[in-house]
Amino acid sequence: RGNKLLVLVLALVLVLALALVLQERGKPGIKIGVLHSLSGTMAASETPLVDALRLAVEEANQSGGVNGAQIEMIVADCRSDAGYCALQAEKLIAQDGVHALFGCWTSACRKAVRTVVEKHHHLLFYPVQYEGLERSPDILYTGAVPNQQIIPMVSWALQQHGRRVYLIGSDYVFPRTANQIVRKLLLAKGGQLLAERYVPLGEQNMDRVARESAA
């Protein structure tokens, strides 16, 4: 998965950079803004994405850049806060003059940044799986959606492990939307929903949920 992500990020950087060089020949460097959380709840998930993108950029630059233009990364720490990430997106676009944004993880973050990129008619590359049910002319969604990920997984689990299902998720957009899809699939396939529970994003004490699901 890591190698595929690296190849994808590198391809996106190179395609974007080439287009920008052709449009803005003569301007030094190509700036890309990176919006990921390096602190807070999401840091463990998002820091590797920054590292992968940095590696891709370094390899491209060491090979001479794109048409002689070097790629410059400007990284913003979203602090695991969707609202703050949107403010950083505004800064990267309006003040730093980046040509495109790469980033976000949670759907809440993406939706907050979407408002900014659509206002500026800018471009966001969104690298991870998400709940679908959204489209924007200013966002390139590269991750799997439920019909590619959740539906096959649930169908397999019902066949292999029984039809009694307990749904648990963090309390934000993706888990709630995903579980709506799971509920409909259970109804269609004769599954039994035992309970549906949500906990705050970043919650580590799952004792109550574990006791309930085991009962």
Side-chain angles (χ1 to χ4, degrees), residues 5 8-9 36 49 102-105 125-129 140 142-143:
L5 175 61
L8 174 61
V9 171
H36 279 301
L49 297 185
F102 290 75
C104 301
W105 182 292
F125 287 93
Y126 181 63
V128 298
Q129 75 277 4
L140 182 58
T142 68

Side-chain angles (χ1 to χ4, degrees), residues 73-132:
M73 281 177 59
I74 303 177
V75 181
D77 180 6
C78 288
R79 302 179 183 176
S80 302
D81 183 314
Y84 183 77
C85 199
L87 293 176
Q88 293 303 299
E90 179 74 33
K91 176 182 178 297
L92 287 169
I93 295 171
Q95 297 182 29
D96 297 318
V98 300
H99 294 98
L101 298 173
F102 290 75
C104 301
W105 182 292
T106 68
S107 296
C109 181
R110 186 193 69 249
K111 288 180 179 295
V113 172
R114 174 186 174 183
T115 302
V116 177
V117 296
E118 290 184 347
K119 180 182 73 172
H120 290 281
H121 300 293
H122 215 264
L123 183 62
L124 168 67
F125 287 93
Y126 181 63
V128 298
Q129 75 277 4
Y130 76 116
E131 73 282 356

Side-chain angles (χ1 to χ4, degrees), residues 167-200:
L167 296 177
I168 174 71
S170 297
D171 192 6
Y172 75 101
V173 178
F174 177 85
R176 287 188 173 274
T177 305
N179 284 345
Q180 287 180 11
I181 296 169
V182 173
R183 289 200 304 271
K184 292 180 180 179
L185 188 60
L186 290 178
L187 181 63
K189 292 184 173 292
Q192 179 186 2
L193 179 61
L194 301 179
E196 183 174 346
R197 299 289 182 263
Y198 296 94
V199 297

Side-chain angles (χ1 to χ4, degrees), residues 14-84:
L14 294 179
V15 170
L16 171 66
L18 177 58
L20 292 171
V21 168
L22 291 175
Q23 292 175 8
E24 305 188 30
R25 192 180 300 275
K27 291 189 177 181
I30 300 165
K31 292 182 180 180
I32 61 172
V34 181
L35 286 166
H36 279 301
S37 296
L38 303 177
S39 60
T41 301
M42 298 304 301
S45 297
E46 298 192 56
T47 299
L49 297 185
V50 178
D51 294 337
L53 186 54
R54 181 176 288 111
L55 177 60
V57 169
E58 288 176 354
E59 289 182 348
N61 285 338
Q62 288 171 4
S63 299
V66 180
N67 282 4
Q70 294 286 290
I71 305 169
E72 176 187 353
M73 281 177 59
I74 303 177
V75 181
D77 180 6
C78 288
R79 302 179 183 176
S80 302
D81 183 314
Y84 183 77

